[in-house]
């Protein structure tokens, strides 16, 4: 039994007692109901949240394990209240674009994971016939790029190749998740942040999203890491006429702003880029309006040497897997949003996107993935306290509100020992 004055359920926040048996939630009872139990803990007015689901994580193992690995990435996830991650198919070697590569990825992860881990497949030029076998092997969907990915082994799709991928995925009702920037609108960046931002303009996202939505034709598509608020109207209009589209954004687009990024601070570099504060305000409105469905990390780490130099050559990726919840809560509360809103964006919505019906909620029958969270405690981000492989993040030194106190995965308190399971897509009945 786990009790709190503030239990976050799909029906809202309320005092409750959560009863767990064999790794699942078997009852959500009144706050003071007593039953026979082997353990009964009361957390007073601390919040009891469902474990977060982060559907956008680059673990990079095998092949680039020196960038990040399953042991360190899942430890960082657990420290941030994330109990399920879905690993992206690129930056590992080999990329997850065949069943053999998926098998190799799963073997690399086995016995290392502190939280549960699932896998995306990849859609690249030349692997069209691999998509259905990957789907049958349990990947959660397929990642593709419409512009260069940054690694040669995961090339982007042309418009003609995208049409073929959409048709193939539509045939088995899969999910295509897309990095949407039009390469024709991108240019080589200079060394300053202003130059980098100018090299990846809003128009690159607008045109790529337009092209994707115009071609979807019944295929379920998801737009990754929306950074430009100019795309919101397009997404809403497409959804209104029946296009099967969802979209995400990331904590760094909602909490950081271009005006605050110093030249040389390449820990802020990511693609698409962090834009200005007015754009940030509009992204928050897109969340409030339901145009953006979920908030996920796009945790994309590298070795520190790849972040050196200017914005022209540094690796593009933000590392924030451990810090997403407090970063989001710090910003959300100042904008009048409730903690329940953050839980919806970071737990329930990513679980829905990935079809994980047994994750992301505190409800009967769901995995007992639980987080005790102190929403009023504050801390300063110390790189020495980060569990990711390399302590490089734009949040170093930031004062954040909200501390993860304890975490359970399927009813077992996470203690650093690998107890995570390797997940496959849940089949529809």
């Amino acid at each position: 039994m786990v009790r709190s004055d503030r239990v976050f359920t799909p029906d809202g926040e309320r005092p409750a007692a959560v009863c767990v048996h064999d790794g699942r939630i078997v009852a959500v009872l009144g706050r003071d109901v007593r039953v026979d139990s082997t353990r009964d803990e009361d957390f007073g007015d601390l919040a009891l949240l469902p474990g977060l689901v982060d559907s956008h994580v680059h673990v990079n193992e095998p092949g680039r394990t020196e960038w990040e690995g399953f042991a360190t990435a899942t430890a960082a996830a657990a420290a941030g209240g994330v109990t399920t991650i879905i690993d992206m198919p690129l930056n590992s070697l080999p990329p997850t674009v065949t069943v053999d590569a998926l098998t190799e990825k799963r073997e690399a992860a086995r016995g290392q994971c502190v939280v549960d881990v699932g896998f995306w497949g990849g859609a690249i030029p030349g692997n069209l016939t691999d998509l259905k076998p990957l789907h049958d092997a349990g990947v959660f969907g397929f990642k593709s790029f419409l512009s260069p990915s940054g690694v040669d082994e995961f090339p982007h799709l042309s418009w003609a190749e995208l049409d073929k991928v959409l048709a193939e995925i539509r045939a088995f009702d899969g999910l295509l998740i897309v990095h949407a920037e039009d390469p024709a609108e991108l240019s080589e960046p200079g060394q300053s942040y202003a130059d980098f931002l100018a090299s990846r303009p809003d128009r690159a996202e607008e045109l790529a999203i337009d092209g994707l939505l115009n071609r979807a034709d019944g295929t379920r598509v998801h737009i990754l890491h929306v950074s430009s608020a100019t795309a919101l109207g397009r997404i809403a209009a497409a959804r209104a006429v029946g296009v099967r589209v969802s979209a995400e954004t990331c904590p760094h687009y909602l909490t950081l702003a271009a005006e605050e990024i110093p030249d040389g601070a390449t820990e802020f570099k990511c693609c698409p880029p962090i834009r200005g504060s007015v754009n940030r305000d509009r992204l928050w409105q897109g969340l409030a309006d339901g145009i953006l469905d979920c908030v996920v990390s796009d945790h994309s780490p590298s070795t520190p040497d790849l972040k050196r130099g200017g914005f022209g050559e540094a690796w593009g990726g933000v590392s924030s897997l451990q810090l997403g919840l407090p970063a989001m809560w710090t910003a959300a509360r100042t904008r009048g949003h409730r903690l329940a809103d953050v839980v919806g964006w970071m737990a329930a919505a990513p679980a829905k996107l990935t079809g994980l019906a047994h994750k992301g909620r505190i409800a009967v029958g769901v995995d007992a993935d639980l987080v005790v969270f102190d929403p009023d405690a504050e801390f300063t981000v110390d790189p020495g306290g980060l569990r990711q492989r390399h302590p490089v993040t734009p949040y170093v030194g930031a004062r954040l509100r909200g501390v993860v106190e304890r975490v359970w995965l399927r009813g077992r308190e996470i203690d650093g020992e690998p107890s995570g399971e390797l997940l496959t897509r849940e089949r529809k009945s």
Side-chain angles (χ1 to χ4, degrees):
M1 299 291 292
V2 185
R3 305 173 187 276
S4 168
D5 297 334
R6 305 184 63 190
V7 177
F8 286 76
T9 75
D11 297 324
E13 174 189 345
R14 64 183 176 91
V18 179
C19 186
V20 176
H21 181 68
D22 285 344
R24 293 285 179 110
I25 297 170
V26 296
V28 181
L29 306 172
R31 171 74 165 82
D32 298 319
V33 172
R34 299 291 162 180
V35 300
D36 288 337
S37 60
T38 56
R39 188 172 179 181
D40 194 322
E41 297 202 54
D42 192 326
F43 292 100
D45 62 356
L46 296 180
L48 186 66
L49 314 180
L52 305 187
V53 177
D54 193 334
S55 57
H56 197 147
V57 179
H58 294 268
V59 176
N60 306 336
E61 186 175 7
R64 291 191 175 98
T65 311
E66 70 276 13
W67 293 20
E68 186 68 281
F70 285 103
T72 49
T74 58
V82 178
T83 53
T84 302
I85 66 171
I86 312 297
D87 171 63
M88 282 291 167
L90 73 156
N91 298 350
S92 56
L93 293 169
T96 315
V97 295
T98 66
V99 171
D100 285 347
L102 174 64
T103 299
E104 188 170 342
K105 174 79 72 105
R106 289 175 63 87
E107 286 305 310
R110 198 175 307 280
Q112 291 204 74
C113 300
V114 177
V115 302
D116 286 353
V117 178
F119 304 94
W120 297 107
I124 64 172
N127 84 324
L128 195 65
T129 58
D130 292 295
L131 302 185
K132 181 60 162 58
L134 278 165
H135 179 79
D136 292 342
V139 299
F140 285 80
F142 300 91
K143 167 84 175 277
S144 66
F145 280 77
L146 300 181
S147 58
S149 71
V151 291
D152 292 340
E153 68 275 3
F154 202 98
H156 67 287
L157 299 174
S158 68
W159 291 116
E161 289 163 337
L162 175 65
D163 288 336
K164 294 177 182 178
V165 165
L166 286 165
E168 177 68 11
I169 292 175
R170 183 164 59 248
F172 53 79
D173 197 27
L175 170 65
L176 181 67
I177 64 174
V178 183
H179 180 125
E181 290 181 286
D182 188 325
E185 299 298 320
L186 305 180
S187 59
E188 288 297 317
Q191 296 303 308
S192 72
Y193 189 76
D195 289 339
F196 172 65
L197 183 59
S199 75
R200 304 187 90 96
D202 296 89
R203 184 168 171 78
E205 280 189 82
E206 295 169 24
L207 292 181
I209 289 171
D210 277 346
L212 172 65
L213 296 177
N214 290 338
R215 290 169 164 83
D217 191 26
T219 307
R220 186 178 169 217
V221 296
H222 177 75
I223 302 168
L224 298 166
H225 45 47
V226 174
S227 83
S228 175
T230 61
L232 297 176
R234 291 164 163 79
I235 296 168
R239 193 176 289 161
V241 297
V243 177
R244 301 172 70 195
V245 59
S246 55
E248 70 185 37
T249 192
C250 305
H252 43 278
Y253 299 129
L254 296 164
T255 64
L256 307 174
E259 300 95 318
E260 303 161 2
I261 299 176
D263 289 343
T266 55
E267 63 270 24
F268 290 83
K269 181 180 177 181
C270 55
C271 302
I274 297 163
R275 305 188 189 276
S277 58
V278 173
N279 178 85
R280 178 179 61 189
D281 292 342
R282 292 177 62 198
L283 289 177
W284 276 104
Q285 189 61 52
L287 267 179
D289 292 342
I291 300 170
L292 296 171
D293 300 272
C294 52
V295 178
V296 292
S297 69
D298 190 9
H299 180 70
S300 184
S302 68
T303 52
D305 61 294
L306 294 178
K307 278 291 193 181
R308 296 187 185 123
F311 280 93
E313 63 269 10
W315 175 258
V318 165
S319 299
S320 63
L321 183 54
Q322 184 172 335
L323 301 170
L325 175 57
M328 278 295 296
W329 174 231
T330 301
R333 60 185 297 276
T334 66
R335 294 172 177 270
H337 295 290
R338 304 166 301 149
L339 184 54
D341 298 324
V342 176
V343 170
W345 296 325
M346 302 186 78
K352 180 180 178 182
L353 170 71
T354 52
L356 287 170
H358 64 296
K359 298 288 187 184
R361 298 172 293 134
I362 295 179
V364 173
V366 174
D367 283 357
D369 300 344
L370 302 170
V371 176
V372 176
F373 182 68
D374 185 344
D376 298 319
E378 295 186 352
F379 69 102
T380 299
V381 178
D382 176 2
L386 298 177
R387 304 298 301 276
Q388 62 199 51
R389 187 172 295 279
H390 302 289
V392 179
T393 176
Y395 292 103
V396 167
R399 189 72 178 166
L400 300 181
R401 184 180 289 259
V403 172
V404 172
E405 298 283 357
R406 293 171 68 178
V407 183
W408 288 265
L409 177 68
R410 283 174 279 104
R412 179 183 182 275
E413 187 165 6
I414 291 178
D415 59 5
E417 292 300 313
S419 60
E421 294 183 353
L422 303 185
L423 305 176
T424 55
R425 189 189 71 262
E426 294 178 4
R427 268 61 170 183
K428 298 176 182 177
S429 58

